[in-house]
Amino acid sequence: MDTGNWSQVTEFIILGFPHLQGVQIYLFILLLLIYLTTILGNLLIFLVVCMDSRLHTPMYNFVSILSFLELGYTAATIPKMLANLLSEKRTISFSGCLLQIYFFHSLGATECYLLTAMAYDRYLAICQPLHYPTLMTPGLCAKIAVGCWLGGLAGPVAEISLVSRLPFCGPNRIQHIFCDFPPVLSLACTDTSINVLVDFIINSCKILATFLLILTSYVQIILTVFRIPSAAGKRKAFSTCASHLTVVLIFYGSILFMYVRLKKSYSLDYDRALAVVYSVLTPFLNPFIYSLRNKEIKDAVRRQLKRAKILG
């Protein structure tokens, strides 16, 4: 293909929600409130787990790591989304776009692995309670956490490398609320079928494999719980899994439809709505799910507030 007349794109314009131009300021206020609540909620859980020795167990260590992860996950996209809502220009450099994609996908992959590790932890605690303390040791917990981070950070490298080599000669308008693989690939001036295929294979292995492992863990958990003779025992066992399962269903329910597909795009509004769910709403809801449904975390928050003399 002749590339002599191409003018390489150096920046992109993120269109966001073009049909909502008249209410940008209201969207900004709403998104800002959600973002601040997300930061405060996840930071609170992270600090409470770190400071309260009663919560120094594998389950709550994973919860605190997830809360810390959500701080970076939301920082990859929401600040730029907020800036775009107040700006008429709404541009992002080519390298800035690739960096946003990298951090968003690497931290998203880390979350997939971490949610899988949390499911495995619950499986051991409920299905093998007598061996749990010797199986899920602090050392193994730390190794699993490090493995989740390393696997996540390495995940998008191949995809980013392939995208960085594509020619972009215009148009440069990204039909999405932030930089992501599908909308960016649609702007390339060459065939991107290889990129789409690689993206599909990596996402399928990453998302489907972790989701199936989580489902397998919960099938074993449910079978074990049904064998518990007392109703109180069943409720206690399910209560330790309810928060994690809720987060899994919300997070995976959106990313499965968004990334495990061969088509470059579906309805643009459909893609944008899904993106809001997994990039904004899931991190926002996590602190409420883990704190409101968990007596131990609520009690730990009260203890720390009393220690700080905020509560009498």
Side-chain angles (χ1 to χ4, degrees), residues 3 32 89 114 162 168 177 220 237 255-256 270 298 305 312:
T3 62
L32 179 62
K89 199 174 180 184
L114 189 58
L162 287 173
F168 294 89
I177 58 176
Q220 296 298 319
I255 64 172
L256 278 168
Y270 172 88
K298 287 190 287 187
L305 292 177

Side-chain angles (χ1 to χ4, degrees), residues 17-243:
F17 290 95
H19 303 306
L20 301 176
Q21 293 298 324
V23 293
Q24 299 280 45
I25 186 64
Y26 302 108
L27 288 177
F28 173 83
I29 294 172
L30 177 61
L31 183 58
L32 179 62
L33 290 174
I34 290 175
Y35 186 44
L36 291 177
T37 305
T38 301
I39 292 174
L40 292 174
N42 283 291
L43 188 60
L44 176 64
I45 290 179
F46 174 73
L47 292 176
V48 165
V49 173
C50 289
M51 295 167 63
D52 197 304
S53 59
R54 300 184 196 182
L55 298 182
H56 290 177
T57 64
M59 182 177 78
Y60 291 113
N61 286 337
F62 285 132
V63 169
S64 69
I65 295 169
L66 178 64
S67 295
F68 180 76
L69 172 66
E70 298 290 27
L71 297 175
Y73 182 69
T74 52
T77 56
I78 296 182
K80 185 60 178 176
M81 290 163 61
L82 287 168
N84 288 342
L85 286 171
L86 294 182
S87 173
E88 293 184 2
K89 199 174 180 184
R90 301 194 298 275
T91 59
I92 185 170
S93 67
F94 180 73
S95 58
C97 186
L98 291 184
L99 280 174
Q100 186 178 68
I101 294 174
Y102 170 76
F103 282 111
F104 182 71
H105 277 266
S106 62
L107 295 175
T110 304
E111 182 160 350
C112 288
Y113 302 143
L114 189 58
L115 289 173
T116 307
M118 294 169 76
Y120 178 65
D121 172 70
R122 291 300 82 208
Y123 160 76
L124 290 180
I126 294 173
C127 299
Q128 301 185 46
L130 298 179
H131 301 288
Y132 178 71
T134 57
L135 291 174
M136 187 58 73
T137 61
L140 178 61
C141 183
K143 290 176 182 177
I144 290 174
V146 171
C148 291
W149 279 98
L150 292 179
L153 294 175
V157 171
E159 296 163 281
I160 290 291
S161 177
L162 287 173
V163 173
S164 67
R165 299 173 187 178
L166 291 174
F168 294 89
C169 51
N172 66 338
R173 294 174 177 268
I174 295 177
Q175 300 280 350
H176 204 46
I177 58 176
F178 51 79
C179 287
D180 203 358
F181 284 121
V184 170
L185 288 177
S186 68
L187 300 179
C189 299
T190 187
D191 178 48
T192 59
S193 56
I194 295 297
N195 299 75
V196 173
L197 181 60
V198 170
D199 193 38
F200 173 76
I201 292 173
I202 291 177
N203 286 329
S204 296
C205 293
K206 175 177 61 184
I207 297 173
L208 287 179
T210 55
F211 187 58
L212 288 175
L213 287 172
I214 292 171
L215 284 181
T216 301
S217 296
Y218 273 102
V219 167
Q220 296 298 319
I221 288 171
I222 291 170
L223 293 175
T224 301
V225 169
F226 280 148
R227 290 197 291 267
I228 297 175
S230 67
K234 287 184 173 71
R235 282 196 299 270
K236 183 178 180 181
F238 273 127
S239 67
T240 64
C241 303
S243 298

